[in-house]
Amino acid sequence: GGRIFSEEQLERLRAQVREMFHFSFDNYMEKAYPDDELKPVSCSGKNVFGPRGYALTLIDACDTLAVIGDTAAFEAAVSRILAEVSFDVDVNVSVFETNIRALGGLLAAHFLAEALIPWYTDQLIPLAKDLADRLLPAFDTKTGVPYGTVNLRRGVPKGETVITSAAGGGTVMLEFTVLSRLLGDDRYEA
């Protein structure tokens, strides 16, 4: 089996990926941050789950900065997350989306920061724990499969449907297990 792409082609493709990523990320930071996402047509920000967000795209994309080799931008993103992100917001969020994009993003950034940022000493972990603690009330169900929505400040919203999916319960296993192991606290995988 020969290679499909030459090393030169691979480098050209890597450069294109970095350029496309930075086009999106830089425009988010310039036109939408601290909102959660950038609306592509109006080039304005929007918050995914309510009137106040928590910089979801910054958290979600932080690890990609490291993966594409932009260590300086990765370090700046980690610093900004530590200085500016708070999950103490009165907003109903999707447990699934918040787990994979925010909690997963924080954990991925943590592992990469350990390797790439000299001053980093686990500062993202308390933020990840805070978020996981805010998601935990969603698991207070008869089956242990979480509700689909949780309010980050007040827990499960009144009237929240008990209809959920096994995927909603299964998708949290990775992030919650990793957090349990990092903290030495089995509450997140019990």
Side-chain angles (χ1 to χ4, degrees):
R3 296 182 86 178
I4 295 174
F5 298 106
S6 69
E7 197 55 44
E8 183 179 291
Q9 290 170 312
L10 285 173
E11 191 46 50
R12 198 169 50 249
L13 290 170
R14 287 181 190 113
Q16 286 177 338
V17 167
R18 284 190 295 270
E19 181 183 341
M20 288 187 300
F21 174 81
H22 271 293
F23 175 81
S24 298
F25 183 75
D26 296 349
N27 275 290
Y28 160 74
M29 292 303 294
E30 179 184 325
K31 296 176 171 99
Y33 180 83
D35 290 339
D36 289 333
E37 295 181 345
L38 173 67
K39 296 193 290 188
V41 175
S42 67
C43 289
S44 61
K46 80 171 189 171
N47 289 312
V48 178
F49 302 112
R52 180 159 178 253
Y54 48 85
L56 184 56
T57 295
L58 175 64
I59 299 166
D60 192 19
C62 185
D63 58 339
T64 304
L65 290 163
V67 170
I68 66 171
D70 195 340
T71 307
F74 172 66
E75 185 172 350
V78 169
S79 293
R80 185 167 251 173
I81 290 167
L82 291 171
E84 300 174 15
V85 171
S86 170
F87 297 109
D88 185 21
V89 289
D90 187 9
V91 63
N92 294 343
V93 299
S94 161
V95 174
F96 171 80
E97 286 289 326
T98 304
N99 174 67
I100 63 171
R101 295 183 67 194
L103 185 56
L106 290 170
L107 293 171
H110 160 73
F111 287 114
L112 291 163
E114 283 186 314
L116 299 172
I117 301 175
W119 54 261
Y120 181 79
T121 53
D122 300 341
Q123 293 95 324
L124 290 169
I125 296 304
L127 194 58
K129 179 185 181 307
D130 176 60
L131 178 57
D133 288 345
R134 293 171 187 277
L135 296 176
L136 278 179
F139 292 86
D140 189 14
T141 64
K142 290 178 184 174
T143 64
V145 176
Y147 288 102
T149 303
V150 69
N151 182 288
L152 291 179
R153 191 174 284 159
R154 294 181 280 117
V156 177
K158 274 197 181 302
E160 174 63 18
T161 181
V162 295
I163 298 172
T164 188
S165 70
T171 192
V172 299
M173 290 174 67
L174 175 64
E175 292 84 355
F176 273 64
T177 299
V178 167
L179 187 60
S180 280
R181 303 296 165 85
L182 287 170
L183 296 172
D185 182 347
D186 68 356
R187 282 185 311 146
Y188 305 101
E189 59 182 320

